[in-house]
Amino acid sequence: MPSLGDLVRDWHRGAQAVARGDWDCALRLFSSVPEPPARMSFNVGCVHLLAGDPEAALRAFDQAVTKDACMAVGFFQRGVANFQLERFREALSDFQRTLAQLRDNAAIDYTQLGLRFKLQAWEVLFSVAAVQSQLGLWAEAARSLEGALAKGPEGARDDLDVALGQVQKQVPLQPRQVPRGEVFRPHRRHLAHLEPVDFLGKAKRPHAEQVDQQVPPGLLVAGGPGPGSSEDPAGAGGVAAGGPESLVTFTVQCTFALALRAPRGADLSSLRALMSQALPPQAQSGQLSYRDPSDSRGWVPLTGEEALQRAWQRAAGPGELRLQCRGVGGRPVLYQVVARHGYSAQRPEDLALQPGDTVDVLCEVDQAWLEGHCDGRIGIFPKCFVVPAIRRT
């Protein structure tokens, strides 16, 4: 099984292959992920569209929106695939679902998620009009374009006026789509940490004693110092506390792998402080659990300092501790918020909240909405209803 570092590398190389127009290479790299997330399936769909295979693109976009039912840009691109296959009714449904996901917002900016694209409401309405023109619904197409004119920026007015003139002459339109060559890319902070780093977050070349372990997503492993550590007391982690015999290797796997060192018996706040220097927010606030060899439950949540010290005592061997940092359903937790006001769900995709509820934020949908998890439920909710949670230590 490939490490997450390998997966991030393949993702990055796949995006580079798209940029240079090597579709076969991009598909091979993107397809190397055993259970691809929604963004990777989206990338596969975009590459198939670029390669002129809308049927394969449709299957990939189906996977993307099945995994992330709030992925507006996924429905948008699936509409493009259906349009190219002349499945105009299905394309119209997809573009209308895209509008529903926009929730009356002017745009969703996907830049922070790795896609250099802002999905604009006026462009979706333009695509709706394009499908309606193909179906011969000229009056409806004109109304859609008039709606786009009301929502669009000044710079789009000329294109929309031309399109409206074409519809009035009953000339079919072509839909808008994500710009050629744009796909989701891994965040640069993930790429920066593909090499082992020290606790200050500076990239370092691996020392001889560092072990390239391949572990499941979300797994953390702490073990004894490797050969040669007496010559490098700080080792890969650089935590100079006591002599080399008092340090253990602390290898963290979240979205990439790196090696740190921590004193054996370190408390929870110390471990999180080390992680916070080099790992993204989900590793700082995610639920930590430890592997107890004597417990049939397998992973036991670390509820506090006493639990962590028991974990150190019950470690499988000298200097060995296996920890796990988990998100929600395989998705990373970006950070946590607390509901300041109650929120009643207006639609099936909404997340109802009570004052005081703690919510794991999974995605920043746009400037006004967040997607989160609370008490086993996942949905979207207004950002203005919550405040940042105090980070756990």
Side-chain angles (χ1 to χ4, degrees):
M1 178 179 178
S3 69
L4 280 186
D6 291 334
L7 298 185
V8 172
R9 285 189 185 90
D10 286 347
W11 186 0
H12 178 56
R13 291 167 181 163
Q16 290 178 319
V18 173
R20 64 176 181 267
D22 191 343
W23 316 136
D24 290 339
C25 178
L27 288 173
R28 184 175 65 256
L29 289 165
F30 289 148
S31 300
S32 68
V33 181
E35 295 183 7
R39 282 182 285 177
M40 194 69 76
S41 296
F42 175 90
N43 285 0
V44 171
C46 287
V47 175
H48 280 306
L49 281 181
L50 291 169
D53 190 351
E55 193 71 54
L58 184 63
R59 291 193 295 270
F61 292 131
D62 281 341
Q63 292 178 358
V65 297
T66 298
K67 293 170 182 174
D68 186 352
C70 296
M71 192 181 200
V73 72
F75 288 110
F76 185 64
Q77 286 294 90
R78 191 173 75 171
V80 174
N82 273 315
F83 187 96
Q84 292 186 8
L85 291 167
E86 299 185 354
R87 299 175 58 180
F88 298 124
R89 292 290 179 185
E90 290 84 352
L92 183 59
S93 175
D94 281 332
F95 292 136
Q96 289 171 338
R97 292 187 70 173
T98 306
L99 282 175
Q101 294 298 331
L102 280 163
R103 302 180 67 89
D104 297 325
N105 291 302
I108 297 177
D109 189 349
Y110 284 94
T111 304
Q112 61 187 340
L113 296 178
L115 179 66
R116 296 177 295 195
F117 175 65
K118 184 179 288 187
L119 180 61
Q120 306 270 4
W122 75 267
E123 291 190 288
V124 182
L125 284 167
F126 187 105
S127 296
V128 169
V131 179
Q132 290 167 333
S133 70
Q134 294 288 340
L135 293 170
L137 304 174
W138 302 107
E140 290 87 341
R143 285 195 292 270
S144 295
L145 289 172
E146 289 166 358
L149 278 165
K151 290 179 177 290
E154 191 65 32
R157 182 167 295 277
D158 289 345
D159 288 344
L160 289 169
D161 284 338
V162 171
L164 188 57
Q166 287 182 271
V167 166
Q168 290 169 345
K169 297 176 183 177
Q170 297 193 356
V171 177
L173 304 174
Q174 293 295 314
R176 312 285 291 195
Q177 59 180 295
V178 172
R180 181 181 180 86
E182 290 301 333
V183 293
F184 282 104
R185 290 169 166 80
H187 197 283
R188 60 179 177 271
R189 69 167 175 254
H190 298 170
L191 298 175
H193 293 291
L194 287 177
E195 292 184 283
V197 301
D198 64 17
F199 79 106
L200 294 177
K202 299 176 182 177
K204 299 184 70 175
R205 293 192 179 278
H207 289 266
E209 73 270 22
Q210 292 176 322
V211 180
D212 182 16
Q213 301 188 49
Q214 294 185 355
V215 292
L219 189 65
L220 297 83
V221 183
S229 57
S230 60
E231 297 178 5
D232 181 13
V239 183
E245 68 280 354
S246 68
L247 299 178
V248 296
T249 302
F250 178 53
T251 301
V252 184
Q253 177 84 23
C254 185
T255 52
F256 48 84
L258 68 156
L260 304 172
R261 288 196 181 248
R264 179 173 175 80
D267 60 19
L268 202 54
S269 60
S270 298
L271 295 185
R272 285 197 183 277
L274 284 171
M275 294 161 61
S276 68
Q277 299 295 328
L279 291 174
Q282 61 264 31
Q284 303 168 29
S285 60
Q287 173 62 59
L288 289 174
S289 303
Y290 71 95
R291 173 72 77 179
D292 185 349
S294 64
D295 194 320
S296 59
R297 292 178 297 172
W299 295 103
V300 181
L302 285 174
T303 55
E305 295 299 339
E306 291 184 6
L308 178 59
Q309 294 310 313
R310 285 197 300 271
W312 279 111
Q313 294 167 7
R314 298 175 184 178
E320 294 181 0
L321 175 65
R322 297 179 66 83
L323 301 180
Q324 186 181 59
C325 182
R326 300 188 62 183
V328 178
R331 300 175 61 184
V333 177
L334 302 181
Y335 51 88
Q336 289 185 317
V337 294
V338 175
R340 182 170 55 180
H341 309 289
Y343 174 65
S344 299
Q346 306 296 315
R347 301 185 184 182
E349 64 269 22
D350 287 0
L351 179 65
L353 299 174
Q354 296 295 327
D357 281 350
T358 298
V359 186
D360 297 322
V361 176
L362 307 177
C363 173
E364 294 180 339
V365 178
D366 56 29
Q367 294 182 347
W369 290 83
L370 301 173
E371 182 186 15
H373 165 266
C374 180
D375 294 332
R377 298 170 291 115
I378 295 178
I380 60 176
F381 57 93
K383 186 184 295 186
C384 61
F385 278 62
V386 299
V387 295
I390 299 175
R391 196 174 74 188
R392 293 177 291 176
T393 60

